[in-house]
Amino acid sequence: MPTIFIDNKPYEVKEGQNVLHAAVSHGLNLPYFCWHPALGSVGSCRQCAVQCFKDENDTQGRMVMSCMTPATEGSRFSIEHPNAKSFRADVIEWMMINHPHDCPVCDEGGECHLQDMTVMTGHNKRRYRFKKRTFKNQNLGPNIHHEMNRCITCYRCVRFYRDVAGGEDLHAFSSADNAYFGRFEDGALESEFSGNLVEVCPTGVFTDKIFRASYTRKWDLQTAPSICQQCSLGCNMSPGERLGKIRRIQNRFNPDINGYFLCDKGRFGHQWVNNTPLPTKPISEITWPLNDDKSQVIGIASPKASLEANYALRKLVGAENFYDAQPKGDYLLAERVLEILEQYPETASVEDVRQADLVLVLGEDLTKTAPMLALAIRQNLYRHWQEKADKSKIPAWDDLAVRNAEHELPDVLYMVHNAPTKLDGLVSQRMSLDFEQISDWIPRIRAAKNPVIIAGTSLKSRPLIDLSKELRALAPQAKLCYVLPEVNSMGLALLKPKSLSDLKSPGVEAISLEPSLKSDVMAKVGDFALIDAFESELSKRAAIAFGCASFAESTGTVINNEGRAQRYYSVFERENKRPESWRILRDLGGFSWQNIDELCGDMGREFPVFEPFFAKAHHADFRVHGERISRQTLVASGRTAVNTHLSMHEPTPRVDQDSPLAYSMEGYHGDMPPDLASSYWRPGWNSVQALNALSHAPSGVKLLRRRSV
């Protein structure tokens, strides 16, 4: 690893980094705007100036932009040099000439990268006396609010939206010294990844319109690490809660899965947590509602429920009466996928798709069924352009030069699909579902160093699933990636349920857990009890319905499409706390589990496949310096006032029995295990850009192991 010197101190840096990336990674305070670790550098903001010296005897040096300067062995720089500091102060003053200075009413206030950089450079006085430049804002649809007057022309928005996400309806329009970032006309942004503009933009130009409707400041949000519930990939996210409602979702960096981004379905698709909850009963009043002979009652599991809840149901009704209510086709395909992965457990993560030199998609319209896989393919092509440019001695981080140098579509993506998809413009070769023609691709797959074969269950096609196995057998270096219907489809499959379609005694009583099914699927059973979070048509038909906590109010484990176990944590508790579904099942069965750790201990003994994750997961008694980890910030406001309509006394914070997190501002706030960190902060860095100084990220535990023959 090269060693560079910054202000006469040595720093080891990664090969191929630019000076800015190296400095920020070591926690140094060097301002910047246009650079982003996933987008590279274009040198448009001129904010990251440093002084560069020829050697240790050079005292004068010359000014360079650190984002456009490679960090090579022995090179010497200064952040604190007077010339560089003065230049950076001038640049921020130029940027702020036309900025509206509306921090008190800006949605980005308190977590704004522009605020941080302004303070970091020491700019605190406006000397410009003339009118500011102004723009007309656009209506960009229901999710994104547009405030163009706050723009500092960093070009991050269009670089992400067009070059990475493949969107075509957001542009940079310019005339003379005016630049405008928006659409040709008002209208909803068309990209499935438009929500990332909220975090990519370093100012308040693009903000979360849903959050804006019930706005609260960042420091008043209560957060916890969580997992997206919208598909089987298991992207990491950080929900923010205030006064019993989820106000927004932010990306939570995981290098193996979602990286720096989320799809719009994951970012904006969890507002159902704020729906009217299904009424519940106190734990002490939960009694067995059905046939006294429990052996005559079946359990209907759910791929949307946590691993713990499904296991508790299985424990209650017994393995013989444990059923999966998915349609027979989905059930058989999930069973087949698990069978294949037990033979070939080297599954592909989303990061593997980003790094593959060949991606073969068999039948899946990824933009609809697993959007972040579609984005990963787009990022893969962008990476290939960078690698080709590297052969011309253009560093990968030099974004503009890379895009100017490379225009040919890399020979990476192959697709088998009968219908059009949004990835069609990136395909090297596309074929219909003619399995004989696919044999022509076998030499290309065998020649690849790290190919990935993607298949899934959306087309209900067993031959496509079997084809992926056959191709994997012919190309041992290939990794398989399967797209499943729900967030915990893999976890439920590992518990080995039966198919409800095979139920031989129609009319039996049942307990249905957090169903993701239509009510007519329940026609095969008689009276049933329902455990669910919200009212539905099914809850109206149930003999008895127990309201349980949603994923945002409970702690649990899910297993994603690649067999990676990850834990999500309760973000908040409602004023009238609802029990987790597994606790309802515990009381119905008379089990003795006091918290989730005890339940997982039993599960690990019965299903050893889960034990590696349970051994690594942080138990409820985990502490850092004797303290729980706080869900709230140290400056959360209204703590003693939000409940004054109920009582003048400060309420006692509730105790979380299932995790080491605290429902309070009291607790540990320093460096913590990545799996328990829900937000990013360091002194002087209040925006999500603080992430760039962190070296760790959660990854979960991959559970699948090769089956012994």
Side-chain angles (χ1 to χ4, degrees):
M1 295 176 67
T3 297
I4 66 173
F5 295 85
I6 301 178
D7 290 315
N8 296 319
K9 293 182 179 179
Y11 296 92
E12 279 196 351
V13 301
K14 292 182 180 179
E15 191 74 41
Q17 281 188 333
N18 59 38
V19 174
L20 172 60
H21 195 175
V24 173
S25 299
H26 281 284
L28 301 178
N29 288 335
L30 179 55
Y32 66 89
F33 287 109
C34 62
W35 173 80
H36 186 283
L39 304 178
S41 307
V42 291
S44 67
C45 70
R46 322 307 289 172
Q47 183 63 75
C48 63
V50 295
Q51 205 75 0
C52 176
F53 304 97
K54 290 187 295 185
D55 51 41
E56 62 273 17
N57 298 319
D58 182 4
T59 59
Q60 184 173 354
R62 62 186 178 90
M63 192 180 300
V64 298
M65 300 302 121
S66 59
C67 75
M68 303 298 290
T69 304
T72 55
E73 175 65 37
S75 53
R76 309 182 76 89
F77 306 93
S78 173
I79 297 174
E80 299 301 324
H81 193 280
N83 289 353
K85 291 182 69 174
S86 175
F87 181 82
R88 295 196 299 265
D90 288 342
V91 168
I92 200 73
E93 185 172 14
W94 302 334
M95 289 183 177
M96 296 302 289
I97 281 175
N98 288 300
H99 194 81
H101 292 193
D102 58 348
C103 300
V105 297
C106 177
D107 297 355
E108 199 82 356
E111 55 182 337
C112 175
H113 186 62
L114 176 60
Q115 282 182 328
D116 290 344
M117 300 301 97
T118 303
V119 173
M120 192 175 294
T121 55
H123 174 64
N124 56 20
K125 182 179 180 181
R126 183 186 178 208
R127 295 184 291 175
Y128 186 73
R129 299 183 292 107
F130 305 101
K131 284 187 176 182
K132 291 175 180 279
R133 174 204 62 209
T134 58
F135 293 104
K136 180 181 177 181
N137 301 321
Q138 290 183 314
N139 180 1
L140 298 180
N143 297 327
I144 305 296
H145 178 73
H146 189 230
E147 188 67 53
M148 186 58 208
N149 291 322
R150 298 169 181 156
C151 183
I152 58 168
T153 324
C154 70
Y155 285 86
R156 275 196 195 183
C157 54
V158 291
R159 289 166 55 213
F160 165 77
Y161 194 89
R162 298 181 63 81
D163 300 334
V164 177
E168 297 180 352
D169 59 319
L170 183 76
H171 301 267
F173 303 93
S174 61
S175 175
D177 60 345
N178 290 324
Y180 187 92
F181 298 88
R183 302 181 84 248
F184 178 72
E185 59 184 0
D186 285 16
L189 291 168
E190 297 172 2
S191 172
E192 293 78 12
F193 311 101
S194 63
N196 292 293
L197 295 174
V198 173
E199 293 185 39
V200 167
C201 176
T203 72
V205 176
F206 300 99
T207 53
D208 186 334
K209 187 176 284 188
I210 296 174
F211 182 39
R212 180 185 179 86
S214 56
Y215 185 70
T216 187
R217 289 298 186 188
K218 166 193 177 180
W219 54 82
D220 287 333
L221 291 173
Q222 181 168 256
T223 61
S226 193
I227 305 298
C228 178
Q229 306 288 300
Q230 299 295 332
C231 77
S232 62
L233 298 186
C235 295
N236 288 208
M237 65 181 192
S238 293
E241 174 269 349
R242 176 73 168 170
L243 301 179
K245 290 187 176 182
I246 293 295
R247 302 300 180 94
R248 73 167 179 191
I249 303 292
Q250 274 197 314
N251 179 62
R252 184 166 168 262
F253 180 76
N254 186 318
D256 296 313
I257 308 177
N258 48 296
Y260 294 92
F261 307 120
L262 283 177
C263 73
D264 285 2
K265 189 187 297 185
R267 187 179 297 274
F268 302 116
H270 293 86
Q271 293 300 310
W272 52 267
V273 173
N274 298 330
N275 292 346
T276 302
L278 188 65
T280 191
K281 293 185 175 183
I283 287 284
S284 59
E285 297 180 18
I286 292 178
T287 56
W288 183 257
L290 301 174
N291 194 322
D292 289 340
D293 184 0
K294 297 181 182 180
S295 65
Q296 300 302 312
V297 177
I298 68 168
I300 302 175
S302 171
K304 296 188 76 170
S306 69
L307 193 63
E308 291 80 5
N310 281 312
Y311 173 76
L313 179 62
R314 186 182 190 277
K315 195 78 171 177
L316 174 63
V317 300
E320 290 300 313
N321 293 328
F322 184 59
Y323 287 87
D324 180 352
Q326 294 181 99
K328 184 66 176 288
D330 288 348
Y331 170 82
L332 291 175
L333 288 177
E335 189 178 55
R336 178 58 174 156
V337 165
L338 181 58
E339 180 184 334
I340 293 173
L341 293 183
E342 286 175 337
Q343 184 176 356
Y344 302 114
E346 297 84 4
T347 53
S349 66
V350 181
E351 175 63 13
D352 289 327
V353 175
R354 286 192 282 263
Q355 299 298 325
D357 58 352
L358 182 144
V359 178
L360 172 59
V361 181
L362 301 177
E364 283 295 305
D365 186 349
L366 295 177
T367 308
K368 295 180 179 178
T369 61
M372 288 305 295
L373 273 181
L375 183 64
I377 289 174
R378 294 183 181 278
Q379 291 175 294
N380 182 306
L381 301 182
Y382 185 71
R383 181 186 61 81
H384 273 78
W385 284 323
Q386 291 176 324
E387 290 181 352
K388 285 186 177 180
D390 186 55
K391 295 178 181 178
S392 301
K393 306 300 183 183
I394 299 174
W397 44 260
D398 194 348
D399 175 62
L400 182 61
V402 169
R403 287 187 283 120
N404 287 338
E406 296 299 330
H407 300 284
E408 292 185 5
L409 188 68
D411 183 22
V412 174
L413 180 60
Y414 293 76
M415 186 176 291
V416 177
H417 208 287
N418 279 335
T421 75
K422 283 199 169 185
L423 293 178
D424 288 351
L426 308 177
V427 175
S428 297
Q429 187 174 351
R430 176 191 174 94
M431 302 184 74
S432 61
L433 300 179
D434 184 343
F435 301 132
E436 293 182 1
Q437 296 180 10
I438 297 172
S439 61
D440 297 338
W441 291 354
I442 293 176
R444 174 74 179 90
I445 299 173
R446 283 179 166 174
K449 293 182 180 179
N450 53 334
V452 172
I453 301 169
I454 301 176
T457 61
S458 65
L459 293 184
K460 320 295 183 188
S461 173
R462 171 71 178 258
L464 276 178
I465 299 292
D466 289 340
L467 174 62
S468 67
K469 178 189 175 184
E470 294 170 13
L471 292 173
R472 167 62 180 81
L474 294 171
Q477 81 281 21
K479 290 184 177 181
L480 295 172
C481 178
Y482 291 108
V483 179
L484 300 175
E486 300 288 354
V487 62
N488 201 27
S489 292
M490 181 67 73
L492 179 57
L494 287 167
L495 290 174
K496 308 294 184 184
K498 300 178 179 180
S499 173
L500 187 61
S501 302
D502 295 336
L503 185 64
K504 296 179 180 179
S505 303
V508 298
E509 294 184 335
I511 295 179
S512 179
L513 172 65
E514 301 183 39
S516 59
L517 59 153
K518 296 180 180 178
S519 57
D520 56 3
V521 181
M522 300 295 290
K524 298 197 72 170
V525 303
D527 289 338
F528 64 93
L530 177 71
I531 300 174
D532 204 358
F534 302 98
E535 293 183 348
S536 64
E537 289 298 318
L538 202 57
S539 68
K540 297 175 183 176
R541 289 186 47 202
I544 185 171
F546 297 103
C548 67
S550 68
F551 84 96
E553 306 158 66
S554 58
T555 295
T557 305
V558 291
I559 300 176
N560 78 347
N561 63 315
E562 51 171 324
R564 186 186 301 271
Q566 300 183 99
R567 179 155 289 178
Y568 60 86
Y569 294 93
S570 170
V571 183
F572 71 105
E573 288 184 349
R574 295 182 191 269
E575 188 173 317
N576 297 317
K577 175 175 168 53
R578 298 185 296 171
E580 295 83 353
S581 49
W582 70 261
R583 280 194 162 89
I584 295 174
L585 293 162
R586 174 200 66 182
D587 290 344
L588 291 176
F591 303 121
S592 60
W593 307 311
Q594 293 303 305
N595 64 15
I596 202 170
D597 295 332
E598 294 182 9
L599 184 156
C600 290
D602 280 0
M603 195 187 335
R605 286 185 285 273
E606 188 171 348
F607 291 91
V609 66
F610 303 131
E611 185 56 34
F613 175 74
F614 296 148
K616 182 181 178 182
H618 294 94
H619 292 187
D621 59 359
F622 176 80
R623 300 291 184 271
V624 180
H625 299 306
E627 293 185 295
R628 287 179 177 267
I629 293 170
S630 176
R631 286 178 171 89
Q632 297 180 352
T633 69
L634 284 170
V635 293
S637 62
R639 165 176 162 161
T640 59
V642 293
N643 293 305
T644 52
H645 63 294
L646 301 174
S647 171
M648 293 300 294
H649 298 284
E650 184 178 340
T652 302
R654 291 170 174 167
V655 177
D656 189 345
Q657 300 179 21
D658 298 323
S659 83
L661 306 179
Y663 291 111
S664 171
M665 64 175 66
E666 279 86 12
Y668 184 72
H669 290 270
D671 292 335
M672 61 189 70
D675 291 342
L676 299 177
S678 59
S679 59
Y680 306 107
W681 180 88
R682 61 189 176 106
W685 299 75
N686 298 285
S687 73
V688 293
Q689 303 298 318
L691 163 66
N692 298 327
L694 304 177
S695 57
H696 303 288
S699 59
V701 176
K702 294 185 76 168
L703 300 178
L704 299 178
R705 297 289 184 270
R706 186 173 294 278
R707 183 177 58 188
S708 58
V709 180

